[in-house]
Every structure is written in C-alpha cells, then in structure tokens.
Amino acid sequence: MPALTSMEKNQFLENDSPRADAIEKVTGRAKYAAEHRIENIAYGVFVCSTIAKGTILTIEEGPARKAEGVLDIITYKNCPATPGYEPLLPDGGKNPRQWWGLKVLYDNIVRFYGQPVALVVADSLENANAAALLVSIQYQSEPFETDFHSARKDAAKLKASGTYSRGNAASLEGAFVKVSGEYTTPIEVHSPMELQATIAVWEGDDKLTVYDKTQGPKSMQGTLARLFAIPDKNVRVIVNYVGGAFGNALRPWHNVPAACIAAKKLKRPVKVVLTRPQMFNLTGYRPQSWQQLTMGADQDGKFLGIDHQAISMTARYEDFREGIVNASRFLYACDHVQTNYKLLPLDVSVPTWMRGPGEATGCFALESSIDQLAHQLKMDPVALRVKNFPAINPESKLPWSSNYLKDCYEKGKELIGWNNRPAVPGSKKEEGMLVGYGMANGVFGAGRGQASVRAILLPNGTLTLQSAVSDMGPGTTTAMIKIAADNLQWSPDKIRFTLGDSDLPPGPTQGGSTTTSTLGTAVYLVCEALKKSLQELALTHLEGFKGATATAIDTKNGIISWEGQRVTIEKLLIAAQKPFIEITKDSQGTNAQELKHATNSFSCHFVKVHVHPKTMEIKIKEVVTTADAGKIISDNTARSQMLGGVVGGIGMALKEELKFDHTTGQIINASFAGYRVPLHTDIPKTTVWFVNKPDPIINPIGAKGLGEIALIGLAAAIANAIFNATGKRVRDLPITPEKLGYKTK
Amino acid sequence: MKKYCYQNSRRQFLRTTGTLAAFSLAPTMLVKAFPIENAIPQPVPKEKITLLVNGIERSAEIDGRTTLLDFLREQLGLTGTKKGCAMGQCGACIVHIDGRRMNSCLSLATFNNGKTVTTIEGLAKEDQLHPLQEAFVVHDAMQCGYCTPGQIMSGIACIREKRAGSREDIQRYVSGNICRCGAYQNIVDAIASVQESGKTV
C-alpha cells in the first residue's frame, strides 16, 4: 500500500511551531460568538419577507404572542427609537453618524426577498422558532427585478462607476493578434462554517457588551456606540474566535442591531444566530458579474492594448463596488489600457467583499484572455507573461517595492512539470483521460494601516502583547508571536498574543490581506521599544552595567547581558523597583504615494487537470501555488492559507453558484445541499511554494499580504488547464461538463 | 410525532405558495397572509432524559423539540460540538452515539435517552490529547477551527470503521465534513498519519 501521507510533505513542519491556538481548537475549548454562557439569555429569531419588493400592510402577531415562552415580537411598529437609525438630528440637521446600510426593523419597506421584518424573542430557541412560524404578514407587493443578465442589457439601468484610460484606445486596431471575450461569473457566497451570531448584554441603559462574530472588534465598537449614541468606552465587543468569514464579517449584519435593540427593550440578554439559509442571503456575497475583455499583441507577443469593461450587481438600497477591472491596468506592461466599470442595482440584498474582492473576478477574464492570446500566437503562456513583465507599475508609474513573479514562474513550471504540457490542446491522454495544464496570475494591493499594540512584560519573563483585532483563521496570533520572538530573539513559548476584545489598544479590522503588515509593524515597534527600555533600565539600575552603551546590552532569550554579566528580567525589575514593564506603541499607516513605491503581492498558480473525453467530467489532478508575499512570517499557517485559497478557487471555478427564482425573487439553493462547495473528494495534491524574500519598503518586517492572492487567479488557471485539455474555452463560471459540450441523452 | 407539530396542512401551504408565484407576475398586488387559522400552538411536551455524555451521567427535563446538538450546546454548555447548518449538510456537529458517528443536529435529544454520547470534549484524557487531536495540531489541519471538532469525530470513526485504507477512501468517508477555509489536504494528512501509526483510536 502506498504511504498515505505522501501527498505533499509539509516541509515547514520540522522547523516551525504549531498554530498558537491549535490546542484550543482541537479540544473544543475555543469559544465562538454564540457560545458564551450568559445567565437568563433569550433567543431571537427573524421572520423574513416572502416578497421581493413592496411594503408591509399588516402584521398579525396575536397567535405568536400567545405561544409558549414568547417575550416579545419586534417589528418596525414597536421598534424603540434608536438614535443611529434616524436620518435627522433633533435639531433638523442631517445625522452624520447614521447607520450604514439597511436599518433592520426600522420601516415597513421590503427591499429584497428574505429581508428580516420581525424578530421573535422567546425564552428558548425552540419556542422562538415555533412562534416565528405564527407571525403572519400581509404585503403590498411591487414589480421587482433580480435577473442580472436580462437587466444589464438595458443601459438605462446601469450606474457608471469609474472609467480609466491611458494611451490610445485605437491601439488595438492594428494588432497582429486580437482576442475578445465575454466573461460571466455567478453570485458566490462566503458561507463560513460559523453562523453569524450576536449576543447583546446591557447594563442599565448605556452600557453594552456584545459577543459578536466580527473581523473588526474596534470598528464594531464604534458602530454600536453611534447606533445608541453612547460613548465608545461604554461598548465592549468580544470576539475570541471567528469561525471563518472571508470578508462577510467585515461589517455588522442585521443580527447585530436586532439583538442589541431587543436586549435593550427587554432588559435581558438576547442572542440572535442566523440560520444557514439566512447566511446565504443576509451576510453579503461576491456579486454576479459580466465582463468584456479585448486585448491584442504584436507578433512577438508584446501587448498593444487592453480594453476591460465590467458590470456587477448591487442592491437597490446600497451601492457596492469592487476593483474588478483594476488589475488590467497594472499587472502587465501595456501602454494602452481602457477600463470601464458599471453597477447594476437590483432588488437583492447587498453584496460585500469576498476573498479577493474584485480581482478574483477580474483576473478570471484577464488571465483567460492572455491564455487565449498565447494560444493564438503559438507562444507559451508563461513566456508571454514574461515578455510583458512590467518593470514598474504602469498605472502609477511607481517602481515596485518588490515583484518576484518571474521566480514564481520558474519554480511553478518545475514543480508542476510544465514540460509535459501538450502544445496542441486536446492532444494528450493519460489513463483514458484528456490531460491539460494551465497557469494564471493573481495580484492584490499590499497595504499597511494604523495599529496599536501593548506589551506587558512580567518578572517571570512572560511577555503578553495585546491588540483589539480578531483572527478569522489565517493565524494572526501565531504570526504576531513569531514576529515578536524573531525580533526579541526570545522563545515563542514565553510570548502570548491577546486579541478579540475592543477594550484592548485599537487594532485594524482583519481584511484586505493587511493584518500581518499592519499589526506586525506595531508588534515590531513595541518589541523595539521594549528592548530599548530593558537596556535603559539595565544601564540605570544595574551596578555591573555602568560604562556600557545601551545598544551594547543584549536582551536575547530574556536575559540581560553585557560583557559576561547575565541578569534575569526578574532581577532587573527588582533593581528598577518595577512590578512589570508596560509599553504601548502606535504604528501609523502609510500608502504607495508616501512610500514612493507600488506595493503589491503576487501569486502564480499552476494546475493539471483530467477531463473525461465522453462525459467531460473534470478532475483536478494537481495544483502548484506559488506566491511573492514578501517575507513569510509563519511558514506553517501561511502554507495553510495558500492551500485554502486553492480550495476557494476550485469552488469558484467548478462549483459555486447561487441561483434565484426570478418569478418570486427568491434564492432557490440557500443550503449546503443546493449550493455546491468543494468537498474533501474535490481536493487534489497541492504544493505551496513561497519566494520568501522580504519586501524592503512596505514595513520593517518585510511581509506583504497573502489572504487574497491565494485565491485570485486560481479560477483562470483551472479554466486555462481545461482549455489545454479539451480545446474548449469556457468563459462562464462555474465550468461544468455541460458547458464543455456534454449532453444528456 | 404529530403532537409536536403545528397543524398546518401541506395542501394549504402549497395553495399559498402557489398563489404567491402566480401573483408575482402581476405589476402590483396584495400578497395574502400566510393562513394561520389552524396554526394554533399546542402545549409543548416536556420529557425527562438521561444520557451518558463523555462518561458523565446527565439528566434533564427537556423540550421535546430540542435537538441533541442544541441540548449539548445550550443546556450542557458543551459548545465544542458546532452548529454549522442544523440540517445535516455540513458535519460540524458530528458526535459519537453509542460509538457511531452521527450529525447531532438531526437527532432529537429525546431519541438518545439512555445512550452514550462522546463529544470533542470527551476525547482528551486529562492533558493527553487523543492521537487524532495531536495529529491535527502537527499537520495544521485547521484554520478558523469551527469545522475541526466535527472533522476529528468523523476522522476517528473513519479509522475505526476501517475506511482509512487509502487517501481516496479517507476523502470519501469524511466527505460529509465541509471546511470552508480549505484545510482539507492537511485534515486527510492528519487522519492518514494516525492510520499509519497504528495507534488505537
């Protein structure tokens, strides 16, 4: 029997420490939002609209109110006045701190099918669920529109959302080779495993504690303070663990205000947990999109022009836009680029950022088009990309802070066995299956925001670092401990990182692949300050250190040493008469203009597929995913994040699609049975490789971001491999046997 | 079971939804309220159950509609068993009932009267992790950690059922456990390593 664990050896395991919170997670001790035990808690369950658009005429709640255990039914009719919901201030002026987005339980207007219109609160979940079925609502319905592809053909319905042009739009006309294609992607839903949940606990009328599933405890604190017009310090948001989010916990959804309003009204803690079907409708999604991409090249493959048009859906009540066309402007050297992006408002709930927002959709079109161009030029797709490698960022004209895409190309080709790729699509078989190889790039901005970290050093040498952030799974805790351990040259066992509480020093919202760069910089700075403080204390308070220069004093391994003398932290603190050392450091954010460099992370994915020649069944055989994400902080967790991006990309390419019934405006596959996600059986052997060269510009730790580029480009790499296997190019995701021409008899 | 249900006939339900669909094509319309004449709440039955959970006898008088999952999480405070869908579609809530793996969201607590239930909290003996828990740590077989308890309970059962003979078998026999972070490869590695070690699970 072949060795079971022979897939890809996790080469990082030997020299890397395990995930910091692994034990908590494998023992079930990790507490997620809905799992905090609160005395006397009540349960809130939403009643959702059964029309897509219109107004509520009557709400019959009599039977529900009489049902066992029911405490209250909150609708727009009896929802207590909530300051942040009001558009106007008492003096008649516009409320500048108004709630962002749909105000749940606020008015009688229905904006999409499944909108929460009542919250039934009862003493048990079973009672609340049963009573919710008894609430009967009569609506005045209005015509609505949910069909993206029929609506987008009417130009009057589109909303301009930005154009870009450089060079000459006519540059494509004389191109030696020109390709043009329409690309379409469906709604994709984050569907993290943890359900969106809020527990709200009031102390009196002005002090609120919320246990919530959020990627940003600090931002949530501010949002809730504004909603109830109370000081920030009166709101505490606790989020010890986040059970996946991928962007959908970047903003508060309806469960948050509903739980808080109900708890305040009832003077009793209230828990609201969305159901899985509600998760598909009420927590955002990657919007459905249409793109037209035209590009051309000369006979040597030099790009002569790119024209990228895109439309994506949004809600009628709120605009959501993302950078679908952005990568086309700067990922390759090209003097002539036009982009145009439009929104299409429909009677649906609002989309939100989902892993690789914008670029994941845009790179599907861009990277598929380049593959097509390479095919028509009879060039190797990697060689074509090398040919058009941009020496500087062609959009901002700034030099790259670092761009090691070419290293990714070389290593990726070697690891996947690129020389086995058939030169003619559809010409090679293996085990009776058509074989194809494909590759594609991903790119995302690498940012650095503002963060604050507190360090507390105890006499026993234990260092605790604290910041009000949350960790949705990438391993922020692990990475921060690693940064501190590397900086101080201390054992990671002596270092803890505490997060998940808005009372801690303000930290960033986890999103956009920026946490390591942003928070890591603050950790780095606080460690530097700690070293300095230890050196100064030694100089001032330790007899034997007189005559030393501060910087000559070593603090490695938590031992203060200079010229053969060694003092523990405990002794140093006694000498200095300090019970502990506490230092807080702010790290200011920055941007490309300030840095005078374009800062981006890059990825390049290689895929090998098998396609059955008759059934057109697609089997991904192998993936090699490579990335230039600067210095890799925590090898083990970074590798896992890349593996996860591949799984997300497989879902995007082959499986995921949320569907509507356009006659009712209702989602018809809002469950894991109807919405197909990647399963164990869909996962091929996957190898991860990092350039692992520090970025010299973006921050002192040299790390760029990883979360988004792990997924961006994957769908195109799979589509390109399928083209190589079959000669069929599918531009409509997800790719299915039917779209490859398989017909059921 | 009938007595636990609200008496809303299926026919009436179909008639209502049918009405909705037909009307939505009209430009403006009144949507009829859901018929509630017959939907009168029945008294909720309470039942007394006794279970052996992780070796501890637990007795409680519970609402007959409570699932085993909600009983574990909301009443016993054993929140290691996760709620991912409450429809038997994701595997996050898998526990062992009399040694067999089961989606605890699909089983009413009262069905399990007198049975032995093992949850993720019952695997480690004092400070000694179960071999598969240990393997999950070593192989970093998790990211957010929310599907992890279900994956581990399912993985143990997969090995005990002798379904872990090849990678493909492991993938197939734990395929009911969804992971959205995408830790699948490491999860299979963790299960495979325990299978190969020959350790008793």
Side-chain angles (χ1 to χ4, degrees):
Chain A
M1 190 180 75
L4 293 178
T5 40
S6 65
M7 287 266 288
E8 185 230 358
K9 188 129 171 58
N10 182 349
Q11 71 271 32
F12 305 126
L13 279 174
E14 287 104 48
N15 21 7
D16 201 12
S17 33
R19 188 175 289 267
D21 48 15
I23 305 280
E24 302 299 298
K25 286 174 176 172
V26 300
T27 53
R29 290 203 296 258
K31 283 244 176 301
Y32 298 78
E35 298 171 352
H36 292 270
R37 286 208 103 178
I38 310 288
E39 280 293 303
N40 197 33
I41 199 161
Y43 296 78
V45 169
F46 279 129
V47 176
C48 296
S49 74
T50 53
I51 62 161
K53 189 177 187 176
T55 44
I56 299 169
L57 292 181
T58 61
I59 301 177
E60 175 54 72
E61 55 188 48
R65 282 198 179 270
K66 281 185 223 128
E68 185 170 336
V70 170
L71 301 166
D72 202 350
I73 296 167
I74 303 173
T75 67
Y76 78 94
K77 290 185 165 178
N78 63 350
C79 183
T82 306
Y85 270 5
E86 299 308 325
L88 299 178
L89 294 171
D91 66 8
K94 196 172 174 241
N95 181 359
R97 290 147 67 91
Q98 207 186 143
W99 180 259
W100 170 39
L102 190 148
K103 300 164 186 166
V104 70
L105 309 176
Y106 176 69
D107 57 25
N108 68 342
I109 299 168
V110 174
R111 296 161 177 87
F112 61 91
Y113 197 107
Q115 175 187 319
V117 287
L119 185 79
V120 176
V121 189
D123 60 355
S124 76
L125 180 61
E126 292 78 8
N127 282 336
N129 274 331
L133 292 174
L134 301 175
V135 178
S136 174
I137 300 173
Q138 199 173 29
Y139 302 95
Q140 177 77 43
S141 176
E142 291 166 31
F144 60 88
E145 187 156 40
T146 55
D147 188 342
F148 176 78
H149 286 298
S150 89
R152 74 174 164 80
K153 287 166 190 147
D154 182 351
K157 290 177 179 166
L158 303 175
K159 240 177 166 171
S161 193
T163 57
Y164 168 85
S165 176
R166 76 165 175 262
N168 180 2
S171 63
L172 277 167
E173 279 164 23
F176 175 73
V177 175
K178 193 168 116 178
V179 297
S180 186
E182 280 187 46
Y183 294 83
T184 47
T185 64
I187 295 179
E188 262 192 274
V189 190
H190 314 68
S191 324
M193 295 315 295
E194 185 197 4
L195 301 165
Q196 213 68 29
T198 307
I199 298 173
V201 187
W202 285 90
E203 237 177 82
D205 259 352
D206 65 349
K207 211 157 173 295
L208 173 64
T209 301
V210 167
Y211 303 84
D212 186 57
K213 181 186 179 183
T214 173
Q215 289 169 243
K218 199 68 199 171
S219 120
M220 181 66 82
Q221 178 191 43
T223 302
L224 289 173
R226 288 193 294 278
L227 181 63
F228 293 103
I230 54 180
D232 278 16
K233 65 176 171 50
N234 286 20
V235 179
R236 187 171 176 201
V237 177
I238 294 173
V239 48
N240 299 335
Y241 288 91
V242 174
F246 320 109
N248 88 334
L250 282 166
R251 65 181 290 187
W253 297 105
H254 317 298
N255 48 299
V256 180
C260 296
I261 287 168
K264 191 171 189 205
K265 185 165 190 267
L266 291 166
K267 300 189 192 311
R268 182 173 174 173
V270 171
K271 165 150 88 177
V272 178
V273 182
L274 297 189
T275 64
R276 181 54 64 183
Q278 287 168 354
M279 289 291 289
F280 281 91
N281 196 20
L282 301 180
T283 65
Y285 53 86
R286 194 194 299 288
Q288 194 167 8
S289 77
W290 168 91
Q291 303 174 74
Q292 167 107 40
L293 203 141
T294 308
M295 64 189 297
D298 68 16
Q299 55 196 16
D300 295 329
K302 187 180 170 356
F303 293 167
L304 295 180
I306 300 174
D307 182 287
H308 193 169
Q309 319 268 329
I311 303 169
S312 70
M313 69 174 8
T314 187
R316 186 98 55 203
Y317 60 88
E318 185 186 334
D319 283 352
F320 172 78
R321 53 178 64 82
E322 54 181 18
I324 294 183
V325 293
N326 295 6
S328 296
R329 301 175 192 157
F330 69 86
L331 188 51
Y332 298 97
C334 182
D335 293 335
H336 310 283
V337 177
Q338 274 71 43
T339 70
N340 187 352
Y341 178 40
K342 289 179 176 147
L343 293 184
L344 172 58
L346 293 169
D347 299 299
V348 294
S349 64
V350 73
T352 198
W353 305 277
M354 177 168 167
R355 197 173 194 179
E359 274 81 350
T361 306
C363 279
F364 169 57
L366 176 65
E367 294 292 301
S368 296
S369 299
I370 293 174
D371 196 69
Q372 190 183 355
L373 204 59
H375 175 69
Q376 295 194 10
L377 284 161
K378 295 193 169 44
M379 264 183 93
D380 181 288
V382 179
L384 180 60
R385 285 173 172 87
V386 171
K387 174 100 198 161
N388 292 285
F389 182 82
I392 61 163
N393 180 312
E395 183 184 8
S396 64
K397 312 289 183 211
L398 292 170
W400 302 107
S401 60
S402 59
N403 182 345
Y404 295 109
L405 256 181
K406 287 180 190 168
D407 296 25
C408 293
Y409 295 152
E410 284 314 308
K411 194 69 185 179
K413 278 165 69 175
E414 176 199 324
L415 290 172
I416 197 83
W418 190 248
N419 52 1
N420 295 321
R421 176 176 182 268
V424 178
S427 66
K428 190 170 177 176
K429 278 194 187 172
E430 199 177 84
E431 300 157 24
M433 303 282 272
L434 294 162
V435 187
Y437 291 77
M439 55 81 62
N441 286 339
V443 64
F444 203 76
R448 190 182 112 199
Q450 192 188 346
S452 186
V453 171
R454 176 160 58 217
I456 300 165
L457 179 64
L458 298 181
N460 65 6
T462 337
L463 172 64
T464 303
L465 302 167
Q466 302 178 320
S467 186
V469 295
S470 62
D471 179 356
M472 62 173 153
T476 302
T477 310
T478 316
M480 294 308 124
I481 291 173
K482 199 78 192 298
I483 289 169
D486 288 353
N487 180 283
L488 296 166
Q489 294 182 277
W490 289 9
S491 160
D493 302 340
K494 287 281 191 191
I495 304 169
R496 289 197 188 92
F497 189 83
T498 321
L499 45 60
D501 185 340
S502 62
D503 278 358
L504 298 174
T509 294
Q510 185 167 61
S513 300
T514 55
T515 307
T516 302
S517 170
T518 297
L519 193 59
T521 303
V523 167
Y524 176 92
L525 292 178
V526 86
C527 289
E528 288 289 310
L530 180 64
K531 268 193 286 195
K532 207 166 160 225
S533 158
L534 289 171
Q535 288 164 335
E536 280 165 4
L537 286 175
L539 211 52
T540 323
H541 298 285
L542 295 178
E543 276 303 311
F545 285 66
K546 296 275 183 267
T549 49
T551 48
I553 298 171
D554 199 357
T555 58
K556 239 184 340 215
N557 300 319
I559 302 289
I560 320 301
S561 61
W562 179 65
E563 292 201 339
Q565 304 186 65
R566 294 163 58 81
V567 174
T568 62
I569 283 167
E570 185 172 16
K571 289 213 170 111
L572 175 66
L573 290 179
I574 290 169
Q577 294 183 317
K578 275 174 165 288
F580 57 87
I581 298 175
E582 182 182 320
I583 302 172
T584 303
K585 273 282 165 195
D586 280 320
S587 154
Q588 296 308 313
T590 186
N591 57 42
Q593 269 60 44
E594 276 177 25
L595 294 170
K596 299 188 171 55
H597 283 81
T599 53
N600 291 86
S601 292
F602 303 92
S603 59
C604 181
H605 317 284
F606 289 80
V607 174
K608 177 187 177 185
V609 296
H610 275 182
V611 180
H612 192 280
K614 293 245 160 42
T615 66
M616 303 315 263
E617 181 198 353
I618 303 154
K619 183 82 186 162
I620 300 179
K621 291 300 284 182
E622 190 176 347
V623 176
V624 171
T625 182
T626 68
D628 166 17
K631 184 185 170 190
I632 298 305
I633 303 298
S634 159
D635 295 347
N636 201 23
T637 55
R639 173 180 175 271
S640 289
Q641 213 178 346
M642 289 295 281
L643 291 174
V646 170
V647 174
I650 291 173
M652 181 178 181
L654 302 181
K655 304 196 85 170
E656 300 184 32
E657 177 175 19
L658 195 76
K659 292 178 180 172
F660 278 86
D661 167 9
H662 298 303
T663 60
T664 60
Q666 180 177 196
I667 294 164
I668 55 171
N669 59 340
S671 77
F672 282 133
Y675 181 87
R676 298 162 67 234
V677 298
L679 305 175
H680 271 289
T681 40
D682 296 310
I683 306 310
K685 172 186 171 189
T686 305
T687 304
V688 177
W689 183 80
F690 295 115
V691 173
N692 198 13
K693 289 184 187 164
D695 185 291
I697 304 290
I698 184 167
N699 57 43
I701 51 178
K704 301 197 271 187
L706 199 57
E708 326 296 325
I709 55 159
L711 182 146
I712 296 166
L714 220 299
I718 293 170
N720 295 344
I722 291 171
F723 174 77
N724 185 240
T726 64
K728 294 194 173 75
R729 184 163 302 282
V730 180
R731 298 187 182 83
D732 175 43
L733 295 183
I735 303 171
T736 60
E738 289 77 14
K739 291 178 192 171
L740 287 170
Y742 175 72
K743 286 190 179 65
T744 42
K745 292 242 167 78
Chain B
M1 277 308 295
K2 183 96 182 163
K3 63 178 176 176
Y4 299 172
C5 303
Y6 295 109
Q7 291 163 12
N8 225 321
S9 82
R10 185 167 173 273
R11 214 168 79 201
Q12 196 151 25
F13 173 75
L14 288 176
R15 208 170 58 215
T16 318
T17 43
T19 315
L20 281 174
F23 265 117
S24 63
L25 300 170
T28 297
M29 58 143 196
L30 276 178
V31 176
K32 262 194 71 160
F34 193 84
I36 54 159
E37 311 86 67
N38 299 331
I40 304 303
Q42 305 291 301
V44 177
K46 292 269 190 287
E47 295 195 19
K48 194 165 184 320
I49 58 166
T50 304
L51 283 75
L52 197 65
V53 182
N54 299 331
I56 300 166
E57 196 173 282
R58 305 278 203 159
S59 291
E61 192 170 83
I62 60 158
D63 185 320
R65 301 164 301 186
T66 305
T67 62
L68 178 59
L69 173 62
D70 286 330
F71 177 65
L72 292 169
R73 283 171 65 84
E74 300 296 331
Q75 299 189 36
L76 301 187
L78 293 171
T79 52
T81 304
K82 303 301 180 195
K83 183 184 273 192
C85 70
M87 294 191 275
Q89 294 168 352
C90 78
C93 68
I94 288 184
V95 298
H96 296 167
I97 301 174
D98 288 342
R100 288 186 61 212
R101 53 176 156 170
M102 181 83 176
N103 282 319
S104 60
C105 71
L106 291 184
S107 182
L108 289 176
T110 58
F111 291 178
N112 297 288
N113 191 17
K115 291 188 180 168
T116 300
V117 176
T118 306
T119 71
I120 190 78
E121 290 95 341
L123 291 183
K125 299 282 172 267
E126 284 160 16
D127 273 348
Q128 186 61 47
L129 294 181
H130 180 281
L132 191 56
Q133 287 176 314
E134 186 76 53
F136 265 61
V137 175
V138 168
H139 289 271
D140 200 38
M142 75 205 80
Q143 288 180 47
C144 79
Y146 200 80
C147 75
T148 311
Q151 301 274 4
I152 292 174
M153 298 311 286
S154 200
I156 291 172
C158 174
I159 296 170
R160 285 183 188 161
E161 293 160 12
K162 306 206 186 310
R163 311 255 197 216
S166 69
R167 286 196 74 88
E168 291 68 29
D169 275 357
I170 296 172
Q171 287 180 320
R172 201 168 302 140
Y173 286 101
V174 296
S175 66
N177 289 81
I178 295 175
C179 168
R180 284 296 271 167
C181 298
Y184 289 130
Q185 176 160 307
N186 291 350
I187 292 169
V188 175
D189 275 341
I191 298 171
S193 74
V194 172
Q195 164 77 14
E196 282 187 326
S197 75
K199 284 182 189 152
T200 310
V201 297

